[in-house]
């Protein structure tokens, strides 16, 4: 019996290169939160490197839980886990409110542990919401995931430092465009293995092109240690502060909502739809990974949507490829010098590749919407309003500025707000009082059949 592509084990070289491609796609997303939080605390360069390595190490462990799985833990899909960006704002808020900055990380770690344990307990109940995610909802959310990630790629394309004078310069944008063109040419004119690792090759070639422009920085490699281990509780024993715990529980709910949407999206792409059992197992991996992460000085873990784009584009669906990527993450956590190799890739080069990756996610969402019954007026309205709600944080970042910080954790996530809007609207239009107008087939801007029948005046 032929194994499903998700359970396929590829040749070693192909497994290694495609796994490394996944690491390259998500590396910036993993290291950004510890860099931001560490800078807010005022950590030294050595401590910042340690914190970043710890987050890479714990991302690898969480990815193992998700792809390989144990017992009822792990979706067993090609699912990458890493530090969730949703936690950055509340973590920096904890730092700002802590008088002694040395207590900030222990307070954050304590809050993440509690949120992870509570999330693990809640996972099977949270997963029952899967029946409220038909194609009209999942297609909308998948599209929002891609659209929400595109600004990240655009930011990378403009350079590493938004405050710098050369941010958005023609050099940076040119490098991003060159990388994008290289990836497209490789995808168009190559076949087989080379075509499948087009993004990785694009990153390598783009980095080489950037060298004459002085954009490629090799100092991270020169300064990094060869071996380093994230010693448990390196920054101190966890502390448990109520306000921090509440904020992290909110982040956990946001992360579980996004992970549910991501699992549904990935299930569609790899043609192994995520059912309630799969989602519960995936959420257990997310939450257990988050609970364990602080033991090794890492932050809350969640699914990485950008890697879904890579799966969609390459059509390599093996979970063992992603598990291999998790192995690379663990090695990077144990070998700072290896971690620094990925850091050599200039941000503009990452941005050029990101346009392809994140755009592929949005395209997958549109494919799902095609079979979501958009000939029905109700479904068109669900998609229209949910997309609008989800795009608010992207197009109008200050829209919710008057709301409390706790509320903004949820509202500033377009994926979460769009997902909630789609689920609620689907309930109202397709479940409550079902049958009244469910089969109306009109354009949302056209009159219904009853109005068309009325005599003109």
């Amino acid at each position: 019996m032929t194994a499903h592509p998700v359970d396929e084990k590829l040749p070693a070289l192909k497994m290694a290169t495609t796994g490394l491609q996944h690491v390259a796609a998500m590396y910036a997303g993993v290291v950004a939160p510890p860099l931001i939080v560490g800078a807010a605390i005022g950590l030294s360069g050595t401590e910042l490197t340690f914190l970043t390595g710890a987050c890479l190490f714990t991302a690898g462990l969480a990815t193992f839980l998700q792809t390989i799985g144990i017992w009822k833990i792990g979706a067993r899909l090609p699912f990458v886990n890493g530090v969730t960006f949703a936690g950055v704002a509340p973590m920096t808020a904890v730092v700002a409110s802590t008088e002694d900055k040395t207590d900030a990380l222990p307070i954050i770690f304590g809050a993440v542990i509690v949120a992870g344990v509570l999330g693990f307990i809640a996972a099977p109940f949270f997963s029952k919401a899967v029946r409220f995610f038909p194609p009209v909802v999942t297609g909308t959310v998948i599209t929002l995931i891609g659209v929400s990630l595109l600004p990240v790629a655009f930011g990378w394309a403009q350079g590493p430092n938004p405050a710098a004078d050369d941010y958005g310069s023609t050099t940076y944008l040119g490098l991003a465009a060159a990388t994008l063109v290289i990836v497209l040419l490789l995808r168009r004119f190559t076949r087989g293995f080379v075509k499948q690792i087009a993004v990785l090759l694009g990153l390598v070639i783009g980095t080489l092109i950037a060298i004459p422009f002085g954009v490629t920085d090799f100092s991270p490699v020169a300064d990094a240690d060869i071996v380093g281990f994230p010693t448990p509780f390196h920054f101190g024993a966890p502390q448990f502060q109520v306000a921090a715990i509440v904020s992290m529980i909110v982040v956990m709910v946001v992360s579980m909502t996004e992970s549910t949407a991501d699992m549904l999206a990935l299930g569609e792409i790899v043609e192994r739809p995520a059912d309630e059992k799969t989602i519960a197992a995936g959420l257990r991996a997310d939450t257990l990974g988050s609970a364990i992460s602080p033991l090794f000085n890492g932050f809350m873990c969640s699914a990485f949507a950008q890697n879904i784009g890579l799966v969609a584009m390459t059509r390599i669906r093996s979970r063992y490829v992603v598990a291999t990527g998790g192995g690379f993450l663990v090695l990077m956590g144990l070998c700072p010098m290896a971690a620094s190799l990925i850091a050599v890739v200039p941000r503009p080069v990452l941005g050029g590749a990101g346009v392809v990756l994140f755009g592929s996610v949005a395209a997958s969402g549109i494919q799902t919407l095609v079979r979501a019954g958009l000939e029905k007026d109700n479904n068109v309205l669900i998609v229209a309003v949910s997309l609008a709600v989800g795009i608010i944080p992207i197009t109008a970042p200050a829209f919710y500025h008057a709301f409390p910080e706790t509320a903004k954790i949820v509202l500033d996530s377009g994926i979460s707000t769009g997902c909630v809007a789609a689920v609620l609207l689907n309930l109202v239009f397709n479940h409550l009082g079902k049958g009244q107008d469910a089969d109306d087939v009109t354009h949302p801007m056209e009159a219904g059949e009853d109005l068309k029948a009325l005599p003109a005046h």
Side-chain angles (χ1 to χ4, degrees), residues 98-159:
T98 306
E99 290 186 17
D100 185 352
K101 300 306 179 190
T102 58
D103 288 334
L105 282 174
I107 290 172
I108 290 170
F109 292 151
V112 171
I113 290 171
V114 173
V117 170
L118 292 177
F120 185 86
I121 295 170
F125 306 102
F126 202 92
S127 67
K128 294 185 184 300
V130 67
R131 64 180 180 275
F132 301 120
F133 288 84
V136 69
V137 174
T138 57
T140 301
V141 174
I142 298 167
T143 304
L144 274 174
I145 290 171
V147 172
S148 297
L149 287 169
L150 281 171
V152 176
F154 301 150
W156 289 345
Q158 294 178 80

Side-chain angles (χ1 to χ4, degrees), residues 86 254 258 390 393 408-418:
V254 172
E258 292 189 5
K408 285 196 285 186
I409 294 171
V410 179
L411 296 173
D412 284 342
S413 169
I415 298 170
S416 295
T417 53

Side-chain angles (χ1 to χ4, degrees), residues 267-325:
E268 293 285 341
I269 290 168
V270 301
E271 297 176 355
R272 179 183 275 182
D275 56 16
E276 184 180 316
K277 181 180 177 182
T278 301
I279 291 173
L283 292 177
R284 286 192 189 99
D286 267 8
T287 52
L288 181 60
S290 294
I292 293 173
S293 185
L295 304 181
F296 298 99
N297 314 286
F299 297 142
M300 186 179 293
C301 295
S302 182
F304 263 54
Q306 49 263 56
N307 292 81
I308 296 175
L310 192 57
V311 173
M313 193 188 75
T314 62
R315 302 303 297 165
I316 296 177
R317 295 175 277 180
S318 171
R319 60 191 172 105
Y320 295 104
V321 163
V322 175
T324 303

Side-chain angles (χ1 to χ4, degrees), residues 179-191:
T179 305
L180 173 59
V181 170
I182 289 166
V183 173
L184 293 176
L185 290 175
L186 288 170
R187 290 288 298 175
R188 175 63 183 85
F189 295 108
T190 61
R191 294 182 179 182

